[in-house]
């Protein structure tokens, strides 16, 4: 079972910052999970929320701000650090030539950023790290767009509710990776996943006890804020 650092090593460092990504690699995570949005002037930036209110000392929607405007703020989740919002390009360059996976969540379920799927795919391709990437989203059309661009890439369907419907959509659209919230995963549903040859990525695993439980169930990846020792 592989371990992905949720928004980087966010248990100890401000989420979705280059500091958190670098520390995740140093700590020994197998990979990193992050979230991508599109700025007003078309840059791919990493931040979980649609607004910068919670994670920075600024306010506003990312879609309404330019990169230069975003760079004025500290994205340190009000900690003692002073981290700037990273570009997706920065993180791709960090993992290049390293044995590190990257789960890129396209944050398109609230704001449907026009053309973000192609922009992300092309940047990954340009930097040459396609084999290290898992693409995920709560928004099925984004995954289908990515599959149209390249049928060979790895895409995963995120969900936290409506499990029956999501599983039907997964199977009907030939998606082979499922990303359920940890509270939805149990032995019975794992039996279904395995029967249908689905890879399972569980988020966000909160404790060592839960980590050990999912490892025993045969989950393929866990996403967590903290690093759990085997």
């Amino acid at each position: 079972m592989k371990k992905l650092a949720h928004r980087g090593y966010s248990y100890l460092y401000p989420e979705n910052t280059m500091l958190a990504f670098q520390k995740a690699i140093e700590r020994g995570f197998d990979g990193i999970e992050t979230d991508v949005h599109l700025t007003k002037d078309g840059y791919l930036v990493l931040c979980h929320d649609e607004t910068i209110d919670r994670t920075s000392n600024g306010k506003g929607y990312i879609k309404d701000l330019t990169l230069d405007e975003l760079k004025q703020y500290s994205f340190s989740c009000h900690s003692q650090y002073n981290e700037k919002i990273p570009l997706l390009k920065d993180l791709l360059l960090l993992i290049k030539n390293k044995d590190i996976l990257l789960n890129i969540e396209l944050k398109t379920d609230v704001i449907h950023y026009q053309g973000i799927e192609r922009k992300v795919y092309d940047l990954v391709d340009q930097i040459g790290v396609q084999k290290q990437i898992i693409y995920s989203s709560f928004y099925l059309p984004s995954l289908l767009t990515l599959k149209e661009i390249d049928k060979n890439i790895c895409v995963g369907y995120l969900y936290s509710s409506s499990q029956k419907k999501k599983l039907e959509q997964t199977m009907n659209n030939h998606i082979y990776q499922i990303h359920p919230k940890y509270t939805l995963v149990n032995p019975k549903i794992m039996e279904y996943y395995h029967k249908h040859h689905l890879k399972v990525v569980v988020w966000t695993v909160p404790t060592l006890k839960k980590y050990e439980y999912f490892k025993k169930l045969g989950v393929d990846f866990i996403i967590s804020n903290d690093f759990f020792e085997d």
Side-chain angles (χ1 to χ4, degrees):
M1 185 170 71
K2 293 191 179 294
K3 308 168 189 176
L4 303 182
H6 187 232
R7 310 177 198 171
Y9 195 178
S10 57
Y11 181 71
L12 293 179
Y13 304 95
E15 67 179 61
N16 278 326
T17 60
M18 292 306 294
L19 176 64
F21 302 143
Q22 180 61 50
K23 292 298 184 181
I25 293 170
E26 291 174 8
R27 185 63 183 87
F29 282 93
D30 300 294
I32 292 164
E33 182 272 349
T34 192
D35 315 275
V36 65
H37 294 266
L38 203 55
T39 67
K40 183 179 180 180
D41 51 344
Y43 285 91
L44 296 165
V45 293
L46 306 178
C47 185
H48 179 268
D49 304 348
E50 285 72 26
T51 74
I52 64 172
D53 301 27
R54 178 180 64 86
T55 55
S56 83
N57 58 353
K59 291 187 180 299
Y61 281 86
I62 291 171
K63 71 177 180 65
D64 296 329
L65 296 165
T66 66
L67 180 62
D68 283 347
E69 288 170 332
L70 288 165
K71 289 289 187 183
Q72 295 174 20
Y73 303 115
S74 170
F75 280 76
S76 300
C77 301
H78 310 286
S79 68
Q80 75 272 25
Y81 299 101
N82 184 24
E83 292 289 304
K84 300 302 180 184
I85 192 168
L87 292 164
L88 175 58
K89 183 178 181 180
D90 299 332
L91 180 51
L92 296 178
L93 289 171
L94 178 66
I95 68 163
K96 187 176 173 67
N97 299 321
K98 293 184 178 71
D99 187 19
I100 292 290
L101 295 167
L102 177 60
N103 181 171
I104 302 172
E105 180 185 341
L106 281 75
K107 299 293 289 188
T108 45
D109 50 313
V110 176
I111 297 168
H112 307 326
Y113 297 105
Q114 186 67 35
I116 191 172
E117 297 87 1
R118 170 59 77 175
K119 281 176 114 24
V120 170
Y121 176 87
D122 285 349
L123 182 60
V124 169
D125 213 42
Q126 173 194 328
I127 293 176
V129 291
Q130 203 70 260
K131 290 181 179 178
Q132 296 170 247
I133 306 299
I134 301 166
Y135 301 92
S136 67
S137 185
F138 284 96
Y139 187 55
L140 183 60
S142 279
L143 300 180
L144 299 183
T145 297
L146 283 163
K147 280 171 60 68
E148 285 175 10
I149 293 170
D150 185 343
K151 66 180 181 180
N152 296 314
I153 60 175
C154 180
V155 301
Y157 197 9
L158 278 156
Y159 67 91
S160 58
S161 61
S162 309
Q163 181 156 230
K164 185 177 178 183
K165 177 184 176 184
K166 300 287 187 179
L167 284 171
E168 285 174 0
Q169 291 174 329
T170 299
M171 302 309 299
N172 291 341
N173 289 286
H174 307 290
I175 293 169
Y176 301 110
Q177 194 167 113
I178 194 86
H179 293 219
K181 186 175 182 180
Y182 81 94
T183 52
L184 300 175
V185 179
N186 55 50
K188 185 177 178 181
I189 196 65
M190 279 299 297
E191 188 178 332
Y192 177 92
Y193 294 151
H194 285 153
K195 179 182 175 183
H196 291 88
H197 309 291
L198 295 171
K199 280 196 176 290
V200 184
V201 182
V202 176
W203 58 274
T204 302
V205 177
T207 63
L208 176 61
K209 187 175 180 181
K210 284 291 184 184
Y211 168 78
E212 290 170 342
Y213 171 72
F214 292 125
K215 187 173 183 180
K216 192 173 290 187
L217 279 185
V219 164
D220 297 282
F221 298 83
I222 62 116
I223 297 174
S224 61
N225 297 328
D226 200 2
F227 184 89
F228 301 121
E229 299 282 359
D230 291 301

